[in-house]
Amino acid sequence: MPIRKIITFLAALSLAVTTALPAFAAGDVTLLNVSYDPTRELYQDVNTAFAQHWQKKTGQKVTVKQSHGGSGKQARAVIDGLDADVVTLALAYDIDAIADKGLIKPGWQKELPHNSSPYTSTIVFLVRKGNPKKIKNWDDLVKPGVSVITPNPKTSGGARWNYLAAWAFAKHQPGGNDTKAREFVQRLYKNVPVLDSGARGSTNTFVQRGLGDVLLAWENEAFLAINELGPDKFEIVTPSESILAEPPITIVDKVVDKKGTRKVAEEYLKFLYSDEGQKIAAKHYYRPTSKKVATKLAKVKLYTIDQVFGGWRSAQKTHFADGGVFDQITGATK
Amino acid sequence: MPAPTTTYTRKTPGGRRITEPALVRWGLTAIALAFLALFLALPLAAVFSQAFEKGFAVYLAAIREPDTLSSVKLTLITAAVAVPLNLVFGVMASWAIAKFSFPGKNLLITLIDLPFSVSPVISGLIYVLIFGRQGWLGPFLEAHDIRIVFAVPGIILATIFVTFPFIARELIPLMESQGKDEEEAALVLGASGLQTFFRVTFPNIKWGIIYGVILCNARAMGEFGAVSVVSGHIRGSTNTVPLHVEILYNEYNYTAAFAVASLLAFLALVTLMIKTIAEWKVREQLE
């Protein structure tokens, strides 16, 4: 190929590149919502509705971009410079980690109602159609011959909720205490054949690879899996008791102040608490916090993390830190 | 590098011709083909059959989805920046290494090979450590409102790093085997350095360059690990095609995932074809 042709080709290429870069119209505003894995469908709907709401209110066009991944990984990315205007993560501990770096004001969780969680969720069981192993409650999971699929609590936010839900159940049984709960959880993890690194990985293991008798999953994940993959293959079992999972939301102060997007970001979070936002959450199988919005989800007795574990920081330190209870019990099962 | 043509017949030191029995010859060929079918053809067929499982209309819709199109665009931009830069660098480095001797030459060769030996995840992380908010240059970049990681520049940087050795690694042996007689003749006849390069060296290595570019491009478009670390996974702006495939798969959107994956598979096939032609021409150039 003669040199001239190569140069013409490169010039054409660079022209294509520059024209391909998006042009930003003046006055439009873009928000970035950094979230965890299973919320994609939820926020797609929320973002469309919010764009209409904001345009009606101010005449300004807003685009909300989404980024999803494991909750801990996403927090890490924000700490390392991902310019999130708002974070909507799986658990408060991950937002605390961002706050510890000075990007979010301390005391963020008191800024919005219900511990800054506009919707809640819980942990339920997904079993194969007909429930061949007759799994009804947490104590069925530790029976011999039952294979349980749950991700690794070291890396997955959802997995930590699973673990803590099992612990809370055992502790609240007649005669239950922390020692009994520890034994219970240890027996449960003996029944786990594989620890995936994230919630979606575990769902794929259970659904696609056909491993295990029961999948511990976010309630909304379980419904999504059934809707996407066929109600003829799986069914949901809601245990008598579970944990109240509060996925919190907040503004990343340092980013919004720099970008000048505080107002619209605050409105975005408030929108999640509005009737419209709550309805969208309910539609995606989250439990709305507003009493005005109906939910079709089954009633469950729910324990909070503050009640049973004294908050996320303490739960993290006791159970999931290196050398913590999870390491001890899984080390013992090996 | 072109492999020497295989012959079934060879001579023992004594001069006696020996031939492997037909059974062994066919057996070995069959094993190799079965292996290829199992590990290459079958997965490739699976990608395309899954992609078209729900028909051509669904396939087309999956490709035309805005997030998919934006991932294709980003991948093309990334390759369009990374490949030419690595081309310029690769040609300069291999010219210097093959035609001149200077102190530190071996060190340079080792450094060029570095990205091959480093895990892609590490390649991504080094950029986060340097350009991230908590990184060495983080405060400076933040003060000047420059975004590198979790934006397009970071993706391009990581891709350049990972694809760094491809062109140089292809050209160095080719240029070394060609020697420097022709260049020396050109210089003696009064050609300048640049003239020597464009009139003498370049025509000799052009097929090698194309071979290197095509490999470099394939890797630039297909890189997952390093890009995943610096991407930030913002839908419609920092997801490349391989990242988008993983996301679609994780969203139970299997048909769309395989449809987008089939784009990459198609790219691989085209690459393979051009590579075969280039390889053939390189061999011609060597003779």
Side-chain angles (χ1 to χ4, degrees), chain A residues 27-93:
Chain A
D28 289 2
V29 58
T30 307
L31 289 184
L32 174 60
N33 175 1
V34 171
S35 195
Y36 61 113
D37 254 333
T39 55
R40 183 200 180 189
E41 294 78 11
L42 166 71
Y43 280 111
Q44 253 173 0
D45 278 5
V46 167
N47 294 346
T48 322
F50 176 71
Q52 283 167 4
H53 166 81
W54 184 253
Q55 182 140 35
K56 226 184 279 163
K57 196 173 165 183
T58 63
Q60 193 181 32
K61 209 176 147 211
V62 60
T63 315
V64 186
K65 295 204 160 175
Q66 298 169 249
S67 166
H68 298 267
S71 189
K73 195 180 101 190
Q74 294 289 79
R76 187 70 238 173
V78 173
I79 289 169
D80 282 331
L82 183 57
D83 271 332
D85 298 270
V86 299
V87 283
T88 53
L89 295 178
L91 39 102
Y93 183 79

Side-chain angles (χ1 to χ4, degrees), chain A residues 124-126 215 217-227 236:
Chain A
V124 299
F125 308 154
L126 192 68
L215 171 77
W218 289 105
E219 191 170 39
N220 61 296
E221 269 288 275
F223 276 101
L224 183 71
I226 286 205
N227 286 348
I236 290 172

Side-chain angles (χ1 to χ4, degrees), chain A residues 1-3 6 10 13 17 20-22 32 37 40-41 44 65-68 73-74 76-84 101 103 200-201 203-204 207-208 221 224-225 228-229 252 254-255 258, chain B residues 65 67 73 76-77 79-81 84 87 125 128 131-135 141-143 145-147 149-150 152 198 202 206 210 228 231-237 244 247-254:
Chain A
M1 209 182 328
I3 303 292
I6 295 179
L10 288 181
L13 209 61
V17 170
L21 288 171
L32 174 60
D37 254 333
R40 183 200 180 189
E41 294 78 11
Q44 253 173 0
K65 295 204 160 175
Q66 298 169 249
S67 166
H68 298 267
K73 195 180 101 190
Q74 294 289 79
R76 187 70 238 173
V78 173
I79 289 169
D80 282 331
L82 183 57
D83 271 332
K101 295 286 178 185
L103 300 175
R200 276 289 156 100
T203 312
N204 278 333
V207 167
Q208 292 288 100
E221 269 288 275
L224 183 71
E228 295 280 335
L229 305 160
V252 183
K254 219 170 169 182
V255 175
K258 198 168 147 199
Chain B
E65 203 260 332
D67 283 356
K73 197 157 88 181
L76 291 178
I77 291 172
V81 179
L87 170 65
L125 271 178
V128 174
F131 299 110
R133 201 180 332 247
Q134 318 293 328
L141 294 171
E142 194 142 324
D145 207 13
I146 303 169
R147 254 167 292 164
V149 284
F150 308 119
V152 179
F198 283 115
F202 181 75
K206 65 180 178 198
I210 288 173
S228 174
S231 139
H233 306 277
I234 306 169
R235 278 156 211 281
S237 48
H244 195 58
I247 285 173
L248 288 172
Y249 184 78
N250 276 345
E251 275 159 9
Y252 311 119
N253 212 340
Y254 302 121

Side-chain angles (χ1 to χ4, degrees), chain B residues 30-108:
Chain B
I31 290 171
L33 282 178
F35 196 79
L36 274 179
L38 192 65
F39 287 94
L40 287 175
L42 206 65
L44 202 64
V47 166
F48 282 100
S49 75
Q50 287 270 349
F52 288 104
E53 199 191 6
K54 292 184 183 156
F56 191 67
V58 178
Y59 177 85
L60 216 61
I63 304 267
R64 284 159 106 183
E65 203 260 332
D67 283 356
T68 305
L69 284 182
S70 109
S71 74
V72 170
K73 197 157 88 181
L74 178 61
T75 297
L76 291 178
I77 291 172
T78 307
V81 179
V83 175
L85 283 179
N86 275 337
L87 170 65
V88 172
F89 166 80
V91 171
M92 287 198 310
S94 39
W95 201 42
I97 287 168
K99 309 283 177 184
F100 302 91
S101 43
F102 53 90
K105 188 162 142 174
N106 280 327
L107 184 71
L108 182 62

Side-chain angles (χ1 to χ4, degrees), chain A residues 297-313:
Chain A
L297 302 171
K299 269 222 174 331
V300 189
K301 184 165 193 248
L302 296 173
Y303 302 109
T304 71
I305 189 128
D306 292 347
Q307 250 172 29
V308 188
F309 302 96
W312 260 111
R313 280 182 196 264

